[in-house]
Amino acid sequence: MGHNIDVVKKKLYDKDYKLTPQRRVILGVFAKNPDKHLSAEEVWGIVKGTNPEIGLATVYRTLDLFAELDILQKMDFGDGRGRYEFYESEVHNHHHLICLKCGYVSEFEDDLLETLESEIEKKNRFQVVDHQLKFYGYCEKCRQGTR
Amino acid sequence: MGHNIDVVKKKLYDKDYKLTPQRRVILGVFAKNPDKHLSAEEVWGIVKGTNPEIGLATVYRTLDLFAELDILQKMDFGDGRGRYEFYESEVHNHHHLICLKCGYVSEFEDDLLETLESEIEKKNRFQVVDHQLKFYGYCEKCRQGTR
DNA sequence: GTATCTGCAAACTCTTTGCAAAAAC
DNA sequence: GTTTTTGCAAAGAGTTTGCAGATAC
């Protein structure tokens, strides 16, 4: 997996950051919600259940830090807020399906884009380091009118 | 092409919207900047050259309206502001290369994703209506240190 | 003429920042 | 002890909204 507590600790300590209780709690939120794409406000909402003293600014700062250290990956689904999930080095082959009705985000795997990247590097003289692929449409529940 | 003035007029009038001078001017900005991906503030900056009386709120409202009518397409490159370009029905096969250093956005064409979409519909029971593909990396100028 | 549209300023949402107190090592 | 981190409140960026006056048809 790559995102257990010791790996996180190492990533932090390597750059002289500390593993504070707040950071531990925020990390726990993602561990307990592995398939969600949480915004700062959502993380804060969950955190406040057990730790009401933690401030929203701390959540923002922690998410920023974790993204910088490749512990989390920041994403943008065009709804005006940043969203986060555990960083996966295989994120290249992990894309998002975004429901236009209920906003639910699911994932799917594919490695089709590898070939496309090398083509771009040649044709467009552009060095690709990452990509993002999103599909917009309607999830099963919304198509059935259940959501 | 599909985005000449008469087509725009029809799209507006069909829904009882008017083609006001302000809307005409904003449309003109896109006509004169066909390969750019302008933000509201950027459009306003250009508009103010000839029409300093036009307010930023009008620009926002017009861009919103044009996006709703498929005259423009709203995009999000993750820099915290909406960006717009002429809507193309072939937008499906038109993707973006975003330079991580200078922010320059270029485009490239590809229709590889058609097959992927039908695969998703089957595998994930998700009805795809649109997609967005972005590649992040370094443009030629930034790789040479010219930018 | 009347419904739509505009410009302005104020409000709103999400995010960042300054600062003094608290905590980590 | 010193440096990092936190919580709070205030500031910031981008966008939206309410409203009275102006404009398109």
Side-chain angles (χ1 to χ4, degrees):
Chain A
M1 283 294 135
H3 38 72
N4 65 65
I5 195 76
D6 291 321
V7 173
V8 169
K9 231 173 191 171
K10 185 181 183 325
K11 284 183 174 176
L12 285 166
Y13 285 35
D14 277 358
K15 297 209 170 178
D16 289 322
Y17 294 117
K18 296 166 186 175
L19 182 56
T20 64
Q22 290 90 337
R23 289 176 184 167
R24 214 180 264 269
V25 168
I26 290 167
L27 197 67
V29 168
F30 286 93
K32 277 178 208 135
N33 294 277
D35 50 353
K36 292 194 183 158
H37 310 80
L38 301 168
S39 69
E41 204 101 18
E42 285 169 345
V43 171
W44 193 43
I46 297 170
V47 154
K48 279 198 294 188
T50 53
N51 301 67
E53 75 284 359
I54 294 180
L56 180 55
T58 299
V59 173
Y60 272 105
R61 280 186 285 227
T62 302
L63 296 178
D64 245 34
L65 179 65
F66 282 179
E68 199 186 302
L69 298 177
D70 283 347
I71 294 165
L72 296 178
Q73 159 125 46
K74 185 175 187 176
M75 280 160 307
D76 191 330
F77 296 137
D79 59 351
R81 78 203 64 193
R83 297 189 164 275
Y84 297 82
E85 65 179 348
F86 272 123
Y87 179 87
E88 306 275 0
S89 53
E90 320 84 52
V91 76
H92 275 277
N93 309 325
H94 145 186
H95 313 301
H96 292 100
L97 310 179
I98 303 163
C99 180
L100 292 167
K101 196 164 170 194
C102 70
Y104 182 73
V105 180
S106 46
E107 297 173 2
F108 87 106
E109 305 289 323
D110 187 279
D111 58 1
L112 192 65
L113 298 181
E114 307 279 291
T115 45
L116 204 49
E117 286 200 2
S118 52
E119 204 182 307
I120 288 166
E121 308 230 343
K122 266 181 268 165
K123 266 200 212 162
N124 298 284
R125 304 190 176 185
F126 185 94
Q127 180 192 0
V128 178
V129 302
D130 196 9
H131 64 232
Q132 262 201 352
L133 175 55
K134 297 176 223 168
F135 291 90
Y136 297 92
Y138 298 98
C139 70
E140 201 178 2
K141 288 189 180 166
C142 284
R143 292 175 69 183
Q144 298 171 346
T146 349
R147 232 182 224 162
Chain B
M1 283 294 133
H3 36 71
N4 65 66
I5 194 76
D6 292 321
V7 173
V8 170
K9 233 175 189 169
K10 184 180 183 328
K11 285 183 175 178
L12 286 166
Y13 286 33
D14 276 357
K15 296 209 171 178
D16 288 324
Y17 295 117
K18 296 167 186 173
L19 181 57
T20 64
Q22 290 89 338
R23 288 176 184 166
R24 214 180 265 270
V25 167
I26 290 168
L27 198 67
V29 169
F30 286 91
K32 278 178 209 136
N33 294 277
D35 49 353
K36 292 194 182 159
H37 309 82
L38 301 168
S39 69
E41 205 101 19
E42 285 169 346
V43 171
W44 193 43
I46 297 170
V47 153
K48 278 197 295 188
T50 52
N51 301 66
E53 75 285 359
I54 294 181
L56 180 56
T58 299
V59 174
Y60 272 106
R61 279 186 284 227
T62 302
L63 296 178
D64 246 33
L65 178 66
F66 283 179
E68 199 186 302
L69 298 177
D70 284 348
I71 294 166
L72 296 178
Q73 160 125 44
K74 185 175 187 176
M75 280 161 308
D76 191 330
F77 297 137
D79 60 350
R81 78 202 66 194
R83 297 188 165 277
Y84 298 82
E85 64 180 348
F86 273 123
Y87 179 88
E88 306 276 1
S89 53
E90 320 84 53
V91 76
H92 276 279
N93 309 324
H94 144 186
H95 312 302
H96 292 100
L97 309 178
I98 303 162
C99 180
L100 293 166
K101 197 166 171 193
C102 69
Y104 182 73
V105 180
S106 46
E107 295 174 3
F108 87 105
E109 304 289 323
D110 187 279
D111 57 1
L112 193 64
L113 297 182
E114 307 279 289
T115 46
L116 204 49
E117 287 200 0
S118 52
E119 205 183 308
I120 287 167
E121 308 232 343
K122 266 182 267 165
K123 266 200 211 162
N124 299 288
R125 304 191 177 185
F126 185 92
Q127 181 192 0
V128 179
V129 302
D130 195 9
H131 64 233
Q132 262 200 353
L133 176 55
K134 298 175 221 169
F135 292 90
Y136 296 93
Y138 299 98
C139 71
E140 201 178 2
K141 288 189 179 167
C142 284
R143 292 174 69 185
Q144 300 170 344
T146 350
R147 235 184 219 160

